[in-house]
Amino acid sequence: MKTYRILIIIASIFWISACNLDTEIYENLPADKFPENEGQLESITLSAYTEQRHLLDDWGWWLYMQEVTSDFLVFPQRGTDWEDDGKWRVLHRHTWNSTTIGVQSMWSHLYSGVVRCNQALEYFQADSEAATLARAEMKVLRSYLFYLLIDNYGAVPYSESFSNAESNPYRVKRADIYNRLITVVTEAIPDLPEPGTVDNYKISKAMAYMLLGKLYLNGAIYKGDSNFNVNDMDSVAKYMNLVINSGYQLESDRLGPFKVDNAASSEVIFSILGDENADDGMRHNFRTLHTLHQKTYDLQSSPWNGCAVKPDYYEKLFAPNDGYDNPDDNTSVNDEIVDQRASAFLRGQQYDIDGNELSNDNGKLILTQNIKADIMTDATDGAAVTRFSGYRVVKFEVEIGSGPIMNNDFPVFRLADAYLMRAEATLRGATLADASADDDLNQTRTKAGLPSVTATLSEVLNERGRELFLEGHRRSDLIRFGLFADRNWWLGATESGEGAERRVFPLPQDQLDANPNLNSDPVNLQL
């Protein structure tokens, strides 16, 4: 009988540069017996799940490629800090190319996850409940990664095999991959756990419903259609009905899903595990906090004084309901309605952990809203402007005494998004929703303390901006709403063309050099 030596590896495959092998060897088991228990199952699947951690920082780049290319986040160069060979600035200005580090690294890490899933699937051949569950999990996780690949790169190589994968694959039409993903996920759903019965970093039926909803919501983009298809929108409504009726609950604290201990959040459907002791993970808090904030949170080392919310984004979506008169003075409160989510931004005078004002040689640490440009120098702007400009984004709770890698789990899908997706689908023609677009839109507004409004597509996009920032949705949202090529929010960008070509990233140059078939179109696919 054929047997397998079970390995956890970082695999190399046709489109990924070879990596070192980390091997953990188990006893030889017959293929029709593995896995025998939950521990053996997780010995393989966990590495596929935790591979996603790389996507949250500048190893895998996915999160920042979604946020810095949008109207939300900017990494301004502060003197000589954050110049980094321009790797952040090209994302902000939309001047990336095939050699941009984010373009290359995101591709490699997404495919590394695909490889892990395909390899795991070759281990799980037994006719058992545990193996059936594992196969369903890995197929849906692989489909999620391919969803990110077609969302970011369009037509890409597609494979469902590890051992029989082509060495130099051709790309597959984006629409064909889209259709295949819908089939694979739909077929896997009956074998997945019910919502709420497994940890939310694992695949459940609700996660699969969310993934299908994302695919259908963006179907017009992926299929190259000029209009949104009503049948697609009805599919969004159908799957969001299932999610919303699965028992998840919106938290009364709108920043609750981002706490350090958010693993048990009532609205998180699928997440990426955070672990401060892992080799990689989300480092956003250290990237955004000023160096002096070490004294605010008793951090293990000094933060890096980097990214901030773009001024226009804050002014449009949060300033009218943040409770302050003066944008840079957090003592001048007023009686306006306050959006809970505005507390995700640090602004004005900053304090240490004991409530004392923070200051240094540049003066008092007063974080100001305005960022003059994406390149600031001490010589022309002054040290205080260079170092203190920009409201810092701390949507994810800053853990007292923490280091750079965060313990907070990263919510990939959560209930708030399901309500807003269903509202959008209804406004785009769906008739199957269990609630009106007004009711769905106002679910999050009401929880955040804002009054109800009449649902329009513009209001949905605005609410998505208030609710889902720094969760990896903004670039895709702007593309779907036809606004990604709008240069009104680019600091230092140059006007040139419609920008349609920037709706997908170019194929990475290192992959083109390794595989000449990526640039070929052997059957007139019209990629």
Side-chain angles (χ1 to χ4, degrees):
M1 180 178 294
K2 187 176 181 180
T3 61
Y4 292 91
R5 187 171 298 275
I6 308 305
L7 309 175
I8 296 178
I9 71 171
I10 300 176
S12 62
I13 199 169
F14 36 85
W15 44 59
I16 303 175
S17 300
C19 303
N20 292 329
L21 300 182
D22 298 325
T23 304
E24 184 174 346
I25 303 177
Y26 290 82
E27 294 299 321
N28 286 344
L29 289 173
D32 63 352
K33 298 294 185 183
F34 186 84
E36 292 182 321
N37 53 54
E38 182 73 13
Q40 291 174 353
L41 185 154
E42 289 206 354
S43 71
I44 303 301
T45 61
L46 188 59
S47 68
Y49 282 122
T50 56
E51 171 65 18
Q52 296 174 91
R53 288 177 178 148
H54 298 309
L55 303 179
L56 304 180
D57 205 69
D58 67 347
W59 280 18
W61 275 94
W62 166 77
L63 178 60
Y64 287 123
M65 294 290 280
Q66 313 313 305
E67 302 293 356
V68 183
T69 61
S70 81
D71 56 350
F72 167 60
L73 196 68
V74 62
F75 280 81
Q77 181 181 334
R78 302 179 185 275
T80 58
D81 296 339
W82 294 98
E83 196 281 328
D84 291 349
D85 294 325
K87 68 181 183 181
W88 304 100
R89 188 162 57 252
V90 297
L91 302 184
H92 171 60
R93 295 187 179 187
H94 285 206
T95 56
W96 58 75
N97 58 38
S98 62
T99 64
T100 296
I101 185 172
V103 170
Q104 298 192 132
S105 295
M106 178 170 59
W107 173 287
S108 293
H109 282 284
L110 287 172
Y111 271 116
S112 181
V114 169
V115 168
R116 288 173 183 262
C117 293
N118 281 338
Q119 187 184 30
L121 283 163
E122 295 193 4
Y123 296 139
F124 301 130
Q125 298 185 23
D127 184 16
S128 66
E129 183 177 347
T132 299
L133 167 62
R135 287 193 294 268
E137 283 185 78
M138 292 297 96
K139 286 178 180 178
V140 174
L141 181 57
R142 181 187 64 199
S143 297
Y144 168 68
L145 295 169
F146 270 119
Y147 150 68
L148 297 183
L149 280 161
I150 66 170
D151 186 74
N152 283 279
Y153 295 99
V156 298
Y158 182 82
S159 176
E160 297 180 359
S161 174
F162 175 74
S163 58
N164 295 320
E166 297 178 41
S167 58
N168 287 304
Y170 292 95
R171 288 180 290 160
V172 177
K173 275 186 176 181
R174 196 185 203 185
D176 290 345
I177 298 176
Y178 163 85
N179 288 325
R180 178 59 183 162
L181 297 181
I182 288 174
T183 298
V184 170
V185 176
T186 303
E187 290 177 348
I189 285 175
D191 297 322
L192 293 173
E194 295 297 324
T197 63
V198 293
D199 293 332
N200 60 28
Y201 74 87
K202 293 184 177 181
I203 306 291
S204 68
K205 283 184 170 68
M207 184 279 184
Y209 299 151
M210 287 295 295
L211 177 53
L212 287 170
K214 287 290 182 185
L215 287 164
Y216 280 116
L217 189 63
N218 292 289
I221 307 300
Y222 302 154
K223 292 181 289 186
D225 296 341
S226 56
N227 296 301
F228 290 89
N229 184 287
V230 172
N231 290 333
D232 288 348
M233 296 302 105
D234 275 334
S235 293
V236 176
K238 178 181 75 171
Y239 286 113
M240 294 309 97
N241 290 343
L242 291 171
V243 170
I244 291 166
N245 296 327
S246 293
Y248 298 97
Q249 299 291 327
L250 292 177
E251 294 199 36
S252 55
D253 178 356
R254 294 315 305 136
L255 297 181
F258 312 97
K259 298 293 186 183
V260 174
D261 57 350
N262 61 347
S265 171
S266 63
E267 67 176 86
V268 175
I269 296 163
F270 181 60
S271 63
I272 298 173
L273 277 170
D275 182 355
E276 65 180 349
N277 297 312
D279 63 344
D280 194 23
M282 195 176 187
R283 294 177 174 84
H284 177 79
N285 286 344
F286 261 60
R287 291 196 180 281
T288 193
L289 292 172
H290 190 274
T291 57
L292 290 175
H293 282 122
Q294 181 178 9
K295 299 178 182 179
T296 305
Y297 303 103
D298 193 24
L299 301 174
Q300 295 172 19
S301 57
S302 296
W304 307 328
N305 191 30
C307 60
V309 61
K310 293 178 180 176
D312 289 351
Y313 191 95
Y314 185 90
E315 189 64 28
K316 177 181 179 180
L317 297 180
F318 289 98
N321 299 108
D322 65 2
Y324 299 109
D325 287 323
N326 185 321
D328 299 331
D329 181 0
N330 54 13
T331 64
S332 57
V333 296
N334 59 32
D335 59 358
E336 69 189 10
I337 297 170
V338 176
D339 186 336
Q340 284 186 22
R341 298 163 297 192
S343 63
F345 303 94
L346 297 182
R347 56 190 303 290
Q349 176 66 55
Q350 300 298 291
Y351 301 86
D352 68 18
I353 198 168
D354 296 318
N356 303 307
E357 291 184 348
L358 288 172
S359 62
N360 62 15
D361 292 344
N362 299 323
K364 291 184 177 181
L365 178 54
I366 299 174
L367 298 178
T368 58
Q369 180 181 10
N370 188 41
I371 302 171
K372 292 178 63 177
D374 58 2
I375 298 178
M376 296 182 290
T377 65
D378 293 348
T380 58
D381 300 310
V385 170
T386 299
R387 307 298 175 182
F388 299 165
S389 291
Y391 293 170
R392 309 310 162 88
V393 185
V394 288
K395 184 175 190 175
F396 288 81
E397 181 183 20
V398 183
E399 184 175 9
I400 301 299
S402 58
I405 297 179
M406 297 160 62
N407 279 316
N408 320 54
D409 292 349
F410 179 85
V412 174
F413 295 140
R414 60 188 180 92
L415 183 61
D417 193 8
Y419 279 116
L420 293 171
M421 288 168 64
R422 191 169 70 173
E424 182 180 338
T426 298
L427 292 168
R428 294 193 189 278
T431 61
L432 300 182
D434 288 346
S436 68
D438 287 352
D439 288 343
D440 282 340
L441 171 63
N442 289 306
Q443 290 286 339
T444 52
R445 288 182 60 86
T446 301
K447 287 288 187 182
L450 299 181
S452 296
V453 295
T454 299
T456 64
L457 285 173
S458 293
E459 287 290 352
V460 167
L461 181 61
N462 288 342
E463 185 61 13
R464 291 186 67 81
R466 297 185 191 97
E467 182 66 29
L468 298 169
F469 62 92
L470 200 60
E471 296 180 60
H473 301 288
R474 192 61 177 177
R475 171 186 159 274
S476 182
D477 286 349
L478 291 176
I479 291 172
R480 191 172 64 256
F481 279 81
L483 298 175
F484 190 63
D486 185 345
R487 271 169 284 275
N488 293 335
W489 38 265
W490 294 3
L491 293 168
T494 302
E495 290 281 349
S496 60
E498 287 295 318
E501 73 282 358
R502 291 188 298 275
R503 294 170 193 162
V504 292
F505 294 111
L507 298 187
Q509 190 61 49
D510 57 347
Q511 304 301 321
L512 292 170
D513 293 341
N515 175 13
N517 289 343
L518 290 178
N519 244 344
S520 301
D521 189 6
V523 289
N524 193 29
L525 292 178
Q526 297 180 342
L527 298 169

